[in-house]
Structure formats: structure tokens, C-alpha cells
Amino acid sequence: MKQPTFVDGRDATTYAPFILIDCRDTKWGDVRLQFSDHQWTHDHIGSEYIGDCYLNGYGIQGLVLAARARAGLEPLAEGMEPNSEGDTCYLHFADLASAVETASLAHAMIHAADQREACANLAVEEGLDDI
């Protein structure tokens, strides 16, 4: 599993197009996983949908939660807070290890069409795209 390389508290390359943000030294004390690069979605997926899963912030969040579930993990781990809205997927983590694990799964999933499709189907079936 790749470890993040934070530059000014952000790693926009290791798990791209996802961004990992280190806020552990702030009053919030968390690590955040973000996706808001919908040009990437357009360029690589070519649509705003995968099946019935709309790829807005909640939809991308659903894909990430489904990727965790497909890996045998709880979709929402303890210490993990979904905070997506509109066109931004935003997940907060109480610890770096859980954030890195999720970022790695999200990165692998978003780059593999078969994984994206399986996660989109699971997200819709389980309501993970609407949390």
C-alpha cells in the first residue's frame, strides 16, 4: 500500500484523482479524502453516470464506500465521517491508517472500469450513494 507524500498538508498525486489532506494538526484533528475533479470523470469515464449511479459528490462517495465493502471492510469504518455534498466527495477519518487504506482502495477502483462498475452497482443496490 502506497504511503502518502504530503506537501503543505496535501497529497494530490499518490491517490489521484483523489486528494488526501492532513488536518491532524488543526483543531479538527482528522485526515480527509476528497474528490472534486469532474473533468477527470468526464475524460476517463465519459459520463456523469455509471449505470444508475450519478457521479456527483454522493455518488463518488458511494463508489468509495462500495470499494471498502468489496474489500471486506465496513463501508463506514469507526472514526470515518462522510461529509460529501453537491459535486464534492469528502470523507473525514480519525486516523491516517484508515484514510490511507481507503484512499488506496478508491484509487485502484476509480482507475479500473470493471471495479468502477461493480462498485457503482453495489452502491446503488445498498444505498451507499445516498448516505
Side-chain angles (χ1 to χ4, degrees):
M1 187 174 323
K2 292 182 187 177
Q3 293 301 306
T5 303
F6 293 111
V7 176
D8 296 326
R10 297 172 59 91
D11 181 344
T13 58
T14 306
Y15 313 103
F18 291 89
I19 299 171
L20 202 59
I21 305 166
D22 187 357
C23 296
R24 292 176 294 172
D25 290 336
T26 69
K27 68 180 179 180
W28 296 281
D30 63 2
V31 181
R32 301 165 187 186
L33 183 63
Q34 175 189 350
F35 180 96
S36 60
D37 188 351
H38 293 284
Q39 184 62 50
W40 187 97
T41 304
H42 175 71
D43 292 346
H44 293 89
I45 298 173
S47 176
E48 293 180 344
Y49 286 88
I50 299 174
D52 291 332
C53 185
Y54 181 48
L55 300 178
N56 63 356
Y58 300 104
I60 297 290
Q61 177 178 284
L63 293 178
V64 173
L65 298 179
R68 288 182 51 83
R70 289 189 74 230
L73 303 170
E74 284 294 320
L76 281 171
E78 184 158 334
M80 181 179 170
E81 285 291 323
N83 190 24
S84 298
E85 59 181 53
D87 66 350
T88 302
C89 170
Y90 217 35
L91 296 161
H92 299 250
F93 297 85
D95 65 89
L96 180 62
S98 185
V100 167
E101 178 177 53
T102 302
S104 296
L105 291 168
H107 173 79
M109 173 273 300
I110 204 77
H111 287 284
D114 61 328
Q115 287 187 44
R116 285 192 309 257
E117 187 172 327
C119 286
N121 292 334
L122 182 60
V124 170
E125 288 170 10
E126 299 295 322
L128 299 172
D129 61 333
D130 195 26
I131 291 179

